[in-house]
Amino acid sequence: MGAPDGERLGPYRLLSTLGTGGFGEVHLALDPEGHTVAVKILHPQVAADATALARLAREVETMRRVEGPHVAEVLDASLEGARPYLVTRYVQGRPLSAVVAGDGPVEGDDLVRLARGLAEALVAVHAAGVVHRDLKPANVILTDGEPVVIDFGIACALDSVSVTVSGVILGTPGYLAPEVIEGTGSGAETDLFSFGATLAYAATGRHPFGTGPASAVGYRVVHQAPDLEGVPGWLEPVLQECLRREPAVRPVAGELLDRLGAAGPAVRAAIPRPRSSPVATRVHESVGGREPAEVQDVALHEAGGSAGAVQELTTREWRRGRRPVSGRLSAEEFRERRRVVLHRRWVIGTGLLVSLMAATAREPLPEVSLLLLTVYGLVTLIDAAIALFARRNRPRMIVDLGSAAGAIALWAALGAFFSTLTLALALGTVVSVLVAILIAS
């Protein structure tokens, strides 16, 4: 069924094969506007099932309403003809299964980001009335440390007897909920079980229900407890609740957001520090619907290493709009901080140069000296006025006014203590250095 590179499928031009899954072959492709997308061409046995395709066609419009940074949105679909296909947002990254297999378990703040991102993805999927039903490490793509869930809704939509008989296994043993294995139905609770199993694998590097034949793994899912040894202490209670056998007692995705801090406060795991004292918890809880405490310190313990040493993890909550205590900046925060630094360097550096030039021209060309100071002062005052109206930029206004006052003070000091010749030599040296820097850069 493999499609050659460069072939056109509808309005899409296939570029290369990304991989093959249980339901189809995925290709990197270009849409008519030249944007990269992922095109999944359904396997022949799936395409031959009219009932499954009809169900998928009904689900596509619902799936297209799922939006969020942690889901690969369905953009288009063509379910008629010899080769039906789905088009989703292309996510460049590595599957969680490959990351864990190659780099080992996910730890620390990366594990927190993974848990939060998966919870946010499930909230978006379930809010649209879609059930993923095949959440597993291979269906989670990590891009810049953030997870993106792919293939949501496809397993549920293609759940039909003829498709299963044709060879497609609906779901992965060890990540399917007990109710799916026993054939008693599936709902949003099913995804919560898969969420717990996927995070357990990410945190430990082991499949929580072991390996082996699908029947053996399925038996362990239904009748045995998951292997959570090595899961951090802050995460283990959450996974135990998600991996409960009874669907009704599992938490919903929105509750996970509250627990993991993605719906307002964000839980950030600090670097573990060896400690042997008892568990200490200091929690300021919200009461009567009020906002939670701005900062919440919780000392948590986890068993560390083969020696079983007790360690303490400190987590903090932060309110929306405040930077996480981990110190990581978003791209927008980084750009804003960079702009502030560049502005400060430019204003101060220009002020120093203008002061030196004005002081040099003070005796032979007093009009030029005053003109330089006047122009610099006007520019900084205008910039300060703009910052004053933009209330969040008051530090910028202080830099502008301070630089203008400093330039005048420096001009007066240089003119009073140094001769015109000395200032001219200094100015020539500064200009030569600046020109050399520009040429070198």
Side-chain angles (χ1 to χ4, degrees):
M1 185 205 68
D5 296 345
E7 179 186 359
R8 300 197 71 88
L9 186 61
Y12 304 97
R13 182 162 66 89
L14 306 183
L15 299 179
S16 61
T17 303
L18 296 176
T20 301
F23 299 108
E25 187 176 73
V26 184
H27 293 259
L28 177 65
L30 292 178
D31 68 7
E33 287 75 33
H35 302 139
T36 53
V37 294
V39 176
K40 169 166 284 193
I41 306 174
L42 300 182
H43 287 315
Q45 64 267 26
V46 179
D49 189 293
T51 303
L53 286 183
R55 183 183 295 112
L56 181 58
R58 291 193 300 268
E59 294 291 335
V60 162
E61 288 306 313
T62 301
M63 291 158 60
R64 292 182 68 171
R65 293 199 296 267
V66 180
E67 296 180 351
H70 297 288
V71 294
E73 299 91 341
V74 175
L75 305 175
D76 190 13
S78 176
L79 302 177
E80 299 177 355
R83 291 196 301 174
Y85 61 87
L86 291 170
V87 181
T88 64
R89 172 166 66 96
Y90 170 61
V91 181
Q92 186 174 9
R94 298 168 63 195
L96 176 61
S97 54
V99 171
V100 174
D103 304 337
V106 183
E107 300 176 342
D109 189 65
D110 291 334
L111 184 59
V112 176
R113 296 170 67 190
L114 174 63
R116 289 174 49 221
L118 290 182
E120 291 178 6
L122 289 185
V123 168
V125 170
H126 295 167
V130 178
V131 179
H132 193 295
R133 222 188 76 159
D134 195 21
L135 181 61
K136 57 186 179 182
N139 279 342
V140 178
I141 305 297
L142 291 180
T143 172
D144 295 329
E146 295 290 343
V148 179
V149 175
I150 63 175
D151 279 358
F152 59 86
I154 296 178
C156 187
L158 292 181
D159 181 9
S160 73
V161 175
S162 58
V163 170
T164 306
V165 171
S166 299
V168 176
I169 299 177
L170 294 176
T172 301
Y175 297 90
L176 285 176
E179 61 268 22
V180 177
I181 295 175
E182 294 178 324
T184 58
S186 62
E189 302 85 359
T190 299
D191 289 342
L192 272 299
F193 186 94
S194 302
F195 169 92
T198 299
L199 273 183
Y201 170 77
T204 65
R206 304 185 309 275
H207 299 289
F209 294 97
T211 58
S215 57
V217 176
Y219 178 86
R220 297 188 203 112
V221 169
V222 175
H223 299 286
Q224 297 181 7
D227 175 15
L228 299 180
E229 182 180 356
V231 174
W234 62 268
L235 182 60
E236 184 176 359
V238 176
L239 300 191
Q240 288 177 341
E241 293 180 18
C242 291
L243 293 173
R244 288 172 177 168
R245 191 182 186 282
E246 299 79 11
V249 297
R250 296 174 199 151
V252 298
E255 293 174 352
L256 290 182
L257 285 179
D258 293 335
R259 296 280 297 274
L260 298 171
V267 176
R268 293 283 185 172
I271 299 176
R273 299 191 303 273
R275 187 179 177 92
S276 58
S277 63
V279 177
T281 305
R282 298 191 306 275
V283 181
H284 185 110
E285 295 180 337
S286 58
V287 180
R290 293 194 296 269
E291 290 292 329
E294 181 173 308
V295 176
Q296 172 174 308
D297 294 338
V298 184
L300 300 172
H301 285 74
E302 72 172 326
S306 58
V310 178
Q311 299 175 330
E312 181 185 80
L313 296 180
T314 300
T315 64
R316 292 177 181 268
E317 286 191 347
W318 60 286
R319 301 221 311 212
R320 186 180 300 276
R322 294 188 178 270
R323 187 166 60 87
V325 298
S326 66
R328 294 198 177 197
L329 299 177
S330 66
E332 182 59 33
E333 288 173 328
F334 176 81
R335 286 193 293 269
E336 179 60 29
R337 179 164 294 187
R338 184 65 177 166
R339 282 194 293 266
V340 171
V341 172
L342 291 177
H343 171 265
R344 183 168 59 246
R345 291 177 179 176
W346 174 258
V347 171
I348 296 175
T350 305
L352 294 175
L353 182 60
V354 168
S355 299
L356 183 56
M357 294 173 60
T360 304
R362 183 174 183 177
E363 290 186 4
L365 299 169
E367 295 85 358
V368 174
S369 177
L370 293 176
L371 178 62
L372 289 172
L373 290 175
T374 302
V375 171
Y376 178 76
L378 285 175
V379 171
T380 54
L381 286 176
I382 292 173
D383 191 63
I386 295 174
L388 177 62
F389 286 106
R391 296 181 179 178
R392 296 180 181 178
N393 287 330
R394 288 184 177 177
R396 175 174 171 176
M397 178 189 68
I398 295 174
V399 171
D400 290 331
L401 296 179
S403 298
I408 296 174
L410 182 61
W411 165 78
L414 291 175
F417 293 102
F418 297 96
S419 66
T420 302
L421 179 59
T422 302
L423 294 173
L425 291 175
L427 178 61
T429 301
V430 172
V431 172
S432 299
V433 171
L434 291 177
V435 171
I437 293 175
L438 290 175
I439 293 176
S441 63

